[in-house]
């Protein structure tokens, strides 16, 4: 039985974050292949953290900048180490490489944090986003360095895969496109969905720790919702999300149909009874869990180009994609009131889930890639000269910063 160590930035929260859902999908991938999993994390657990012991997974708390991790990982001796996001790779990747040079190192990027960060900077500065602005960002350089230092990096978005392969020119053997891993929607599920006539209201779903969500709520309240209310004076929207900050909760105004409700214990229940999902995202990266949830539960969406990016592989969108507040509101009105248009959008969403997120197809690809690397580890690494350079002691700034902090803490 192979042993897998996952080093998480946070403990998985599948019921409150898309990243938590993604991590749980990876966990199930390894479990279904009979691997023994240990999940290690420096963060404190929250009320939303999944109970890993229920899945037969060992959960271990670890410390930053502490040589106790070296002892821990040598004793565990995993065959595969999954590093959750580039920040975790910076903190622990060099220790893994030193203590267990033959362990396969896999980076799960979740999304390209540098892309999301650069888009936010451009929006805040009132300047158009450009590929060059992304390339020049320090976070981009750090994130790309982490990708090179690993044996394989999982890229959730086909657009981000394009940037890394065609713009940065990272070899395809270092990258694997791995979107959300979902079972196809079947006819029984479709028949169980609440029909158009029995659904009411709009919905927005988003974790409050994720800045694109907070910006989207503000833009929705300020610029889009007033127009929707002109079209539909009795319209209501329900805003759900864990960790919504106080200033967002204070936007709750039932008198204008704007209901800020906080965490939803059952996403299927709240999404499945809403008629239209609104996701006015002005920056971000990766894939959008809120839009996947909407399609999984038969709820058409209105979103932006950022929201729909890499989500549908050119297939007709399950709703509308709009950038202008007036057009966004008009699209929301049309979906809300036109039953046939709504049903067509719902069908499009089903097609997207079944064709773009097929769990078996992508799990087979991941399994094959791991087997190939295991069988050819030396030659695989020999082709990655930039990774070797970045592992060289003269380039290991994160390593020596950690060593300095460790000594200082003593």
């Amino acid at each position: 039985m192979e042993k897998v160590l996952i080093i998480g930035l946070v403990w998985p929260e599948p019921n409150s974050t898309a990243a938590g859902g993604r991590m749980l999908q990876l966990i199930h991938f390894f479990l279904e292949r009979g691997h023994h999993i240990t999940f290690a994390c420096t963060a404190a657990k929250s009320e939303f953290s999944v109970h890993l012991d229920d899945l037969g997974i060992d959960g271990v708390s670890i410390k930053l900048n502490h040589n106790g991790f070296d002892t821990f990982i040598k004793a565990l001796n995993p065959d595969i180490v999954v590093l959750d996001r580039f920040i975790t790779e910076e903190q622990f990747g060099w220790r893994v490489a030193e203590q267990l040079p033959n362990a396969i190192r896999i980076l799960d990027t979740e999304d390209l944090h540098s892309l999301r960060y650069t888009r936010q900077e451009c929006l805040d500065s009132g300047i158009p986003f450009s590929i060059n602005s992304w390339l020049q960002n320090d976070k981009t350089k750090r994130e790309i360095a982490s990708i090179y230092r690993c044996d394989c990096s999982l890229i959730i978005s086909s657009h981000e895969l394009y940037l890394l392969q065609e713009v940065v020119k990272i070899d395809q053997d270092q990258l694997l496109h791995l979107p959300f891993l979902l079972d196809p929607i079947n006819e029984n599920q479709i028949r169980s969905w609440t029909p158009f006539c029995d659904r009411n209201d709009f919905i927005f779903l988003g974790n409050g720790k994720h800045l694109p969500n907070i910006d989207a709520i503000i833009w929705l309240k300020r610029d889009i919702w007033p127009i929707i209310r002109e079209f539909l004076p009795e319209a209501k929207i329900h805003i759900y999300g864990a960790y919504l900050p106080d200033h967002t909760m204070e936007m709750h105004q039932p008198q204008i149909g704007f209901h800020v409700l906080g965490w939803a214990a059952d996403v299927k229940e709240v999404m499945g009874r809403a008629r239209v999902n609104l996701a006015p995202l002005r920056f971000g990266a990766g894939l959008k869990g809120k839009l996947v949830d909407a399609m999984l539960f038969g709820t058409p969406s209105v979103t932006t180009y950022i929201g729909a990016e890499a989500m549908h592989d050119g297939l007709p969108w399950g709703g509308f994609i709009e950038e202008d507040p007036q057009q966004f509101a008009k699209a929301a009105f049309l979906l809300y009131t036109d039953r046939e248009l709504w049903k067509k959008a719902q069908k499009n969403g089903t097609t997207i889930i079944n064709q773009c997120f097929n769990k078996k197809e992508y799990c087979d690809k991941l399994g094959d890639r791991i087997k190939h690397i295991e069988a050819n580890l030396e030659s695989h690494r020999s082709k990655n000269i930039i990774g070797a350079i970045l592992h060289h002691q003269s380039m290991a700034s994160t390593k020596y910063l950690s060593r300095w902090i460790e000594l200082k803490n003593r």
Side-chain angles (χ1 to χ4, degrees):
M1 177 188 294
E2 285 198 320
K3 290 189 284 187
V4 177
L5 171 65
I6 301 174
I7 307 175
L9 183 66
V10 295
W11 298 96
E13 297 183 9
N15 293 327
S16 65
T17 70
R22 156 64 164 209
M23 178 51 70
L24 197 60
Q25 290 166 9
L26 284 179
I27 285 171
H28 281 296
F29 165 83
F30 288 112
L31 286 176
E32 288 165 8
R33 280 152 183 78
H35 297 332
H36 181 272
I37 302 174
T38 300
F39 193 100
C41 187
T42 63
K45 293 182 180 180
S46 79
E47 60 182 306
F48 304 118
S49 300
V50 70
H51 296 291
L52 294 173
D53 51 349
D54 291 345
L55 300 172
I57 294 170
D58 298 328
V60 178
S61 292
I62 53 177
K63 294 180 180 180
L64 284 173
N65 308 309
H66 195 283
N67 61 10
F69 177 83
D70 301 344
T71 304
F72 158 70
I73 196 171
K74 284 187 75 172
L76 183 65
N77 194 27
D79 304 282
I80 299 168
V81 178
V82 178
L83 298 144
D84 172 30
R85 288 168 264 208
F86 85 93
I87 300 167
T88 303
E89 190 282 331
E90 288 181 334
Q91 295 164 340
F92 293 101
W94 64 270
R95 290 183 182 272
V96 174
E98 279 192 354
Q99 302 300 323
L100 298 173
N102 293 324
I104 294 174
R105 299 184 300 275
I106 298 175
L107 174 63
D108 184 34
T109 58
E110 292 285 357
D111 64 13
L112 286 184
H113 289 43
S114 56
L115 181 62
R116 168 163 41 87
Y117 182 82
T118 306
R119 283 171 167 169
Q120 181 183 355
E121 280 193 333
C122 290
L123 178 66
D124 291 346
S125 302
I127 59 175
F129 169 81
S130 68
I131 297 299
N132 189 59
S133 62
W134 171 64
L135 289 171
Q136 297 306 314
N137 195 288
D138 286 347
K139 270 192 170 59
T140 306
K141 298 163 190 173
R142 289 171 54 195
E143 194 158 29
I144 289 172
S146 284
I147 289 170
Y148 273 115
R149 285 192 295 262
C150 291
D151 297 310
C152 181
S153 292
L154 309 180
I155 312 301
I156 201 167
S157 157
S158 57
H159 177 67
E160 293 169 11
L161 185 70
Y162 165 81
L163 291 176
L164 295 170
Q165 286 186 340
E166 302 302 324
V167 177
V168 183
K169 304 298 184 182
I170 298 176
D171 193 284
Q172 63 180 2
D173 288 344
Q174 298 297 124
L175 308 169
L176 181 67
H177 180 216
L178 196 80
F180 293 134
L181 309 173
L182 306 175
D183 292 316
I185 298 170
N186 59 45
E187 288 299 321
N188 287 337
Q189 289 171 282
I190 293 171
R191 283 193 291 269
S192 73
W193 288 341
T194 302
F196 174 88
C197 58
D198 293 332
R199 292 181 182 234
N200 293 289
D201 305 331
F202 296 91
I203 188 172
F204 174 91
L205 190 67
N207 184 299
K209 289 185 177 179
H210 195 56
L211 292 179
N213 290 331
I214 300 303
D215 176 79
I217 295 170
I218 293 170
W219 192 41
L220 177 61
K221 174 90 180 305
R222 184 187 66 211
D223 295 339
I224 298 171
W225 188 246
I227 305 172
I228 293 177
R229 287 280 286 193
E230 288 179 12
F231 292 134
L232 298 165
E234 301 302 316
K236 298 177 184 177
I237 184 166
H238 302 285
I239 310 290
Y240 293 101
Y243 305 113
L244 292 180
D246 290 343
H247 69 84
T248 303
M249 296 299 295
E250 289 165 3
M251 294 168 70
H252 179 70
Q253 285 187 266
Q255 64 272 26
I256 63 167
F258 204 86
H259 299 260
V260 184
L261 303 171
W263 180 63
D266 189 339
V267 172
K268 180 179 179 180
E269 195 271 330
V270 298
M271 186 65 81
R273 72 178 181 225
R275 187 175 290 182
V276 176
N277 177 48
L278 303 181
L281 298 163
R282 298 197 294 173
F283 64 93
L287 301 178
K288 317 306 180 297
K290 58 180 65 59
L291 294 170
V292 167
D293 285 337
M295 291 185 281
L296 284 173
F297 306 131
T299 308
S301 297
V302 186
T303 190
T304 58
Y305 288 103
I306 290 288
E309 181 180 87
M311 294 284 296
H312 58 120
D313 287 354
L315 294 169
W317 181 247
F320 288 94
I321 301 171
E322 300 289 350
E323 296 293 301
D324 175 74
Q326 186 77 35
Q327 294 303 313
F328 195 103
K330 182 179 179 182
F333 166 75
L334 290 173
L335 266 185
Y336 197 85
T337 56
D338 189 326
R339 182 174 179 270
E340 293 308 310
L341 184 66
W342 185 91
K343 288 178 68 177
K344 182 179 179 181
Q346 185 185 68
K347 186 176 180 181
N348 288 346
T350 299
T351 302
I352 290 168
I353 292 294
N354 291 352
Q355 293 192 23
C356 300
F357 301 97
N358 188 286
K359 176 181 175 180
K360 184 181 185 309
E361 174 188 345
Y362 285 104
C363 282
D364 286 347
K365 288 181 179 180
L366 177 56
D368 289 345
R369 178 64 65 87
I370 292 172
K371 287 180 183 177
H372 177 77
I373 294 173
E374 284 178 327
N376 304 277
L377 185 59
E378 186 176 348
S379 61
H380 177 78
R381 288 179 176 171
S382 70
K383 296 175 185 176
N384 181 16
I385 184 62
I386 295 178
I389 291 169
L390 290 169
H391 272 293
H392 191 271
Q393 61 178 356
S394 64
M395 300 293 288
S397 60
T398 53
K399 168 184 174 179
Y400 289 106
L401 176 61
S402 179
R403 288 290 196 206
W404 180 81
I405 295 171
E406 182 181 327
L407 289 170
K408 184 173 181 290
N409 287 340
R410 288 180 186 173

